[in-house]
Amino acid sequence: MHKRLLRTSLIALGCLTIAGCSSMMTREADRTAGMSAPQLYQEARDNVRSNDYKTARTYLEAVEARYPYSSFAQQSLIDQAYVNWKDNEPEKAVAVIDRFLRLYPSHPGTDYMLYLKGLVTFTPPSSYLRSLTGQDPSERDPKGLRQSYDAFNELIQRYPESRYTRDARQRLTWLVSTIADNEVNVAKYYYTRHAYVAAINRSQSVLKDFTGVAAAEPALYIMMKSYQQLGMADQANDAKRILDQNYPNSKYYEQGLEDSGGWFSWLNPSRVFN
């Protein structure tokens, strides 16, 4: 009998403990319960001001989920994108921006969202660490740079008078040069590993897709040298002729590709934005 009473007491105590924990979890989970859209949004804004982005995200997501057809829901998406960006969650930020642009293509905040998308992918959080790893350029994915280019370019085309367009134009100029440099670095990587056809293809993409970029000079040189290695004299002479016409005193004839700069030097935007 004594053992039975003890076992019953332990079971009851366990149930009370579980119930207490469940009650605490429910109160924590329901901290936004019963709040109106303006109240939720104000709480989110307060947390943004104090740089508590995770808590701000909770309130913003609650606004969108509970009041999906309100103007607060639209604004909450804009703020969610910003909060995710500031909280080093670029993938989440881009996902929110894409959802916003799909749902509200003519919203007054569309220009800002395009600008923010360009910023999110302009300099990824991992860029500094990547610059220290010595990662081969063929392993680097320029997807983020191209996403940034596409977002800024769409902003400029659709909203030429936007307050964000001037900065977007400056960043776009840097992106064009940077993407072209990246293509040349990959071409150089292939050339040094005797993948001459791949080096030619990458160099040709620079000349075809970009105009007025400094990367055209090393691209032509790599093409010329690659054709020479393949024994394609006519094509090599054509590349040399174009190189001489546009860069009559090309430094690459003397230095080759050895001193053309680090392949990850493109990661530093401070060379344009001081």
Side-chain angles (χ1 to χ4, degrees):
M1 179 66 71
H2 177 72
K3 291 182 179 179
R4 184 181 301 172
L5 289 173
L6 178 61
R7 184 170 57 188
T8 302
S9 298
L10 290 173
I11 292 173
L13 180 61
C15 291
L16 288 172
T17 301
I18 293 172
C21 291
S22 177
S23 176
M24 290 175 63
M25 292 174 64
T26 301
R27 286 197 300 271
E28 178 65 22
D30 290 342
R31 61 182 172 179
T32 62
M35 297 178 67
S36 65
Q39 290 173 327
L40 288 168
Y41 186 72
Q42 186 58 51
E43 286 290 335
R45 297 292 291 176
D46 291 343
N47 281 281
V48 169
R49 293 189 186 96
S50 60
N51 299 325
D52 186 355
Y53 300 120
K54 287 179 172 57
T55 303
R57 187 185 299 113
T58 299
Y59 286 105
L60 291 170
E61 290 175 349
V63 172
E64 183 189 3
R66 297 179 188 177
Y67 305 95
Y69 304 109
S70 67
S71 60
F72 286 99
Q74 298 175 20
Q75 186 61 43
S76 76
L77 280 174
I78 295 175
D79 289 352
Q80 279 184 61
Y82 174 81
V83 164
N84 286 326
W85 176 50
K86 296 296 288 184
D87 201 29
N88 292 325
E89 296 283 359
E91 292 84 4
K92 290 182 179 179
V94 171
V96 170
I97 292 170
D98 287 342
R99 187 163 80 251
F100 177 91
L101 295 175
R102 185 172 62 253
L103 292 173
Y104 312 110
S106 301
H107 191 278
T110 299
D111 61 336
Y112 170 75
M113 291 297 262
L114 287 170
Y115 178 69
L116 184 58
K117 185 176 182 179
L119 288 182
V120 168
T121 54
F122 187 73
T123 306
S126 59
S127 62
Y128 175 72
L129 292 177
R130 287 185 180 182
S131 70
L132 300 178
T133 62
Q135 182 185 19
D136 287 334
S138 63
E139 297 175 356
R140 180 175 301 283
D141 183 5
K143 180 180 178 181
L145 293 174
R146 294 187 179 276
Q147 282 184 335
S148 184
Y149 173 89
D150 290 341
F152 286 140
N153 191 52
E154 184 176 354
L155 168 62
I156 292 169
Q157 297 299 320
R158 292 179 59 184
Y159 304 97
E161 303 302 323
S162 170
R163 58 185 292 192
Y164 308 107
T165 296
R166 180 182 178 185
D167 186 66
R169 289 185 190 278
Q170 292 179 308
R171 293 177 184 272
L172 199 63
T173 300
W174 181 83
L175 282 166
V176 168
S177 177
T178 296
I179 295 171
D181 287 347
N182 182 260
E183 290 291 299
V184 165
N185 287 326
V186 177
K188 175 185 173 183
Y189 172 80
Y190 285 134
Y191 177 81
T192 58
R193 282 152 181 79
H194 313 294
Y196 301 119
V197 174
I200 290 169
N201 290 336
R202 287 286 185 164
S203 298
Q204 287 177 336
S205 70
V206 173
L207 303 176
K208 180 179 66 175
D209 298 337
F210 307 98
T211 58
V213 293
E217 182 182 358
L220 285 165
Y221 181 79
I222 292 171
M223 282 181 62
M224 179 191 73
K225 297 295 290 184
S226 296
Y227 280 128
Q228 288 175 350
Q229 293 294 334
L230 292 172
M232 303 174 68
D234 291 342
Q235 290 85 342
N237 289 334
D238 286 341
K240 184 179 187 306
R241 175 176 52 80
I242 298 172
L243 178 62
D244 291 341
Q245 287 177 350
N246 291 276
Y247 306 96
N249 300 309
S250 177
K251 62 183 180 181
Y252 292 98
Y253 284 126
E254 292 185 6
Q255 74 176 40
L257 296 172
E258 296 303 318
D259 300 319
S260 57
W263 60 263
F264 53 80
S265 61
W266 59 272
L267 280 169
N268 183 13
S270 64
R271 64 182 182 182
V272 175
F273 303 106
N274 296 319

